[in-house]
Amino acid sequence: QVQLVESGGGLVQPGGSLRLSCAASETDFKINYMGWYRRAPGKQRELVAGISSGTTTNYADSVKGRFTISRDNAKNTVYLQMNSLKREDTAVYYCSVNAGLTTWWGQGTQVTVSS
């Protein structure tokens, strides 16, 4: 089993920045794809950004140029640097990790963009 611990959410003004972190517990399985998803009120969960076990990344069109995903394989940790935040980025953000044949999810962290 893989446990994910997220941190870094909070309240920020429009135009501000936040950095989310997600640390995975030690596992015998190789951690492959790591990603961040979000669910805004009244909307379905969507992929925000993902990163392969190498350096390949992918982003939702709505966050390209503003968000950056990265990972530290030695720490089993994935990060999401969020800049130029907009009100529409308000959501619960979830970390997701593929390890072995299973997808694991974090508990979610709230990001609220408001003045």
Side-chain angles (χ1 to χ4, degrees):
Q1 186 166 349
V2 177
Q3 293 182 331
L4 303 177
V5 179
E6 300 159 345
S7 60
L11 173 65
V12 64
Q13 292 185 345
S17 298
L18 283 175
R19 189 191 195 207
L20 304 182
S21 299
C22 173
S25 60
E26 288 193 13
T27 172
D28 292 334
F29 299 109
K30 177 184 177 183
I31 294 178
N32 298 308
Y33 189 83
M34 306 180 84
W36 288 96
Y37 292 73
R38 67 186 180 189
R39 176 174 284 157
K43 295 186 177 181
Q44 291 188 336
R45 185 176 61 196
E46 63 173 352
L47 173 67
V48 177
I51 185 167
S52 70
S53 56
T55 58
T56 302
T57 59
N58 60 293
Y59 296 92
D61 288 343
S62 60
V63 307
K64 283 181 181 177
R66 300 189 297 122
F67 291 10
T68 302
I69 189 170
S70 61
R71 63 190 284 173
D72 184 335
N73 291 329
K75 297 181 179 179
N76 283 351
T77 300
V78 61
Y79 306 96
L80 185 67
Q81 178 66 44
M82 305 185 293
N83 298 329
S84 302
L85 282 160
K86 304 176 180 180
R87 287 182 173 83
E88 51 264 42
D89 294 318
T90 295
V92 178
Y93 284 70
Y94 298 90
C95 170
S96 176
V97 167
N98 291 348
L101 300 177
T102 305
T103 299
W104 306 92
W105 293 90
Q107 79 284 358
T109 184
Q110 177 70 46
V111 172
T112 302
V113 185
S114 175
S115 55

